[in-house]
Amino acid sequence: LDLLPTPHLLVDLATVERNAQRLADYAARHRLAVRPHAKTHKSLALAQLQLKSGARGLTVAKVGEAKVMASVCDDLLIAYPALDHARTTAIADLARTASVRVAIDSQMAADALAAAVGAAHSTLGILIDLDLGMRRTGVQTPEASLHLARHVAQTPHLRLDGLFCYPGHVQRPPNQQGEQLTAASQLLDETLALWRRAGLPAPIVSGGSTPTAYQSHLMPSLTEIRPGTYLFNDANTLYGGFCTIDDCAAVIVATVMSNVIPGKVIIDAGSKTLTSDLNIHRRDSGYGYLPDYTDATITRLSEEHGELDVSRCQQPPRLGERVRVIPNHICPCVNLQSSLWLRDHEGQAHLLPVDARGLLS
Ligand SMILES: Cc1ncc(COP(=O)(O)O)c(C=O)c1O
């Protein structure tokens, strides 16, 4: 490990396995299916690990990711609206050989997908995206969801499979999420009651995120959850109180390349390695968390340089020393790497490709 070129992304297998198993156990206790979001790792090997630990299928954002993941999983949810020609035709093609569902919030998406799927002689499952308060995507009222659900139910080649939601606005510590999740749950229940009265089925109610993963039972109508970050965790989930330091499976390993500026050391990981994302819970905490140097802060990034303020460190990292950085936001960080090193139980490192890296369409 000490000879690997830096900077590199190092993932600890034992921690990954523990994170996967903990979620699987929780989900089993609450009769929830797990459909992890593969955008976090973009890796076929890690997707297989999740499937082996009981995941029902995989979630992806992008069609390119879906195509890659289809080689290890034939049950895919595209958690992203699709209405343009490139996406709809690629989805229709994929739906010929795999079970594919798409979450949508417009009739235009339903019609575009139906046209593509009809031409490809395939069938597509549709989930209606309902906004729970994040205000990013999702129809805005239960009535609007019913309207769109009716449209989907009447559209050839589409199968209405249920509801979709994402509580991305819930970022409080788990023991303070009750109020927001109860409100979200009431909205879901109201929507499902409306659908029931209209005779529309909703066998799937898909929700969940990493911050809310272990509070999903507060939304009893969910049938499946889709956390992604939980597998690796990051400085966001750490500062948010959603994991402990021992649950952080992924670090960037960087080398101290310069220490001539007083009070600073420079590492070989900049924005092209760590991303420029700040921590959403502590915006003044710098560009990542240094578990071995908690008094140091990554205060500024150039593309290839990370500047650490070490003025508060009794013993700053030495020139040539390797330091570990837990990225603020692991998902875009992984997307910057073409491969990662997986440290196995014996401490051996294995190079894994980030198979779906850069697939943004
Ligand atoms: C629609 C959707 N579902 C699930 C997730 C996974 O959530 P998390 O990153 O909290 O694990 C995301 C994350 O961006 C998302 O956008």
Side-chain angles (χ1 to χ4, degrees):
L1 276 170
D2 288 346
L3 298 177
L4 298 178
T6 61
H8 64 256
L9 176 62
L10 178 64
V11 173
D12 183 58
L13 177 61
T15 311
V16 160
E17 287 177 342
R18 219 172 41 239
N19 292 343
Q21 196 54 51
R22 187 184 306 133
L23 188 73
D25 292 345
Y26 167 83
R29 272 202 308 284
H30 295 283
R31 293 203 176 80
L32 281 162
V34 179
R35 187 183 291 279
H37 207 313
K39 54 127 193 180
T40 299
H41 53 71
K42 288 180 172 259
S43 148
L44 290 173
L46 293 172
Q48 282 174 308
L49 183 149
Q50 290 173 312
L51 292 165
K52 245 175 76 186
S53 77
R56 165 78 49 91
L58 295 173
T59 302
V60 295
K62 299 308 184 76
V63 183
E65 295 171 335
K67 283 195 210 167
V68 169
M69 293 298 153
S71 68
V72 296
C73 178
D74 61 1
D75 189 341
L76 298 161
L77 168 59
I78 299 174
Y80 196 86
L83 42 76
D84 55 297
H85 184 261
R87 281 195 177 85
T88 53
T89 49
I91 289 172
D93 190 40
L94 195 60
R96 290 152 62 112
T97 51
S99 161
V100 181
R101 297 187 176 89
V102 186
I104 64 167
D105 65 1
S106 70
Q107 285 200 13
M108 184 175 167
D111 295 344
L113 285 164
V117 172
H121 305 289
S122 44
T123 312
L124 198 61
I126 297 290
L127 302 179
I128 307 297
D129 181 1
L130 175 72
D131 180 21
L132 298 181
M134 187 187 181
R135 303 193 72 76
R136 183 176 68 179
T137 62
V139 295
Q140 292 296 297
T141 61
E143 292 73 21
S145 82
L146 178 64
H147 190 69
L148 183 53
R150 276 201 172 113
H151 181 75
V152 168
Q154 289 161 5
T155 302
H157 312 294
L158 300 185
R159 188 184 63 241
L160 179 66
D161 278 347
L163 264 176
F164 172 98
C165 56
Y166 174 56
H169 60 300
V170 182
Q171 293 289 341
R172 294 182 190 154
N175 61 1
Q176 295 170 32
Q177 293 176 359
E179 200 178 313
Q180 279 180 302
L181 292 184
T182 304
S185 185
Q186 280 167 359
L187 187 63
L188 268 188
D189 289 347
E190 193 188 328
T191 305
L192 289 167
L194 206 61
W195 284 33
R196 251 192 318 274
R197 286 200 292 279
L200 292 177
I204 296 177
V205 182
S206 178
S209 64
T210 295
T212 64
Y214 292 98
Q215 305 301 312
S216 300
H217 56 280
L218 298 181
M219 300 180 68
S221 44
L222 291 182
T223 64
E224 68 172 35
I225 52 174
R226 310 183 307 273
T229 309
Y230 80 101
L231 195 70
F232 287 169
N233 285 302
D234 55 21
N236 277 337
T237 57
L238 183 65
Y239 280 120
F242 312 127
C243 73
T244 68
I245 189 83
D246 293 338
D247 305 325
C248 292
V251 293
I252 292 291
V253 179
T255 303
V256 176
M257 305 303 280
S258 171
N259 65 358
V260 292
I261 310 289
K264 276 190 183 180
V265 305
I266 308 303
I267 57 172
D268 59 355
S271 60
K272 279 185 172 165
T273 305
L274 291 168
T275 79
S276 300
D277 281 22
L278 290 171
N279 194 291
I280 59 173
H281 302 284
R282 272 210 34 209
R283 298 190 76 77
D284 62 350
S285 63
Y287 295 96
Y289 179 75
L290 294 127
D292 308 310
Y293 290 98
T294 52
D295 288 334
T297 308
I298 307 174
T299 49
R300 192 167 67 167
L301 298 178
S302 316
E303 288 177 48
E304 309 294 2
H305 301 72
E307 300 182 25
L308 274 57
D309 175 352
V310 293
S311 54
R312 290 186 303 125
C313 295
Q314 296 241 320
Q315 274 203 320
R318 297 176 313 277
L319 197 60
E321 183 177 333
R322 287 178 174 220
V323 295
R324 301 186 299 154
V325 183
I326 299 175
N328 280 333
H329 191 180
I330 192 65
C331 312
C333 174
V334 167
N335 190 52
L336 292 177
Q337 328 293 325
S338 50
S339 54
L340 60 85
W341 289 95
L342 188 67
R343 183 175 49 215
D344 69 15
H345 298 274
E346 282 75 47
Q348 299 294 314
H350 306 267
L351 192 62
L352 287 189
V354 180
D355 303 277
R357 177 252 166 115
L359 298 179
L360 304 181
S361 61

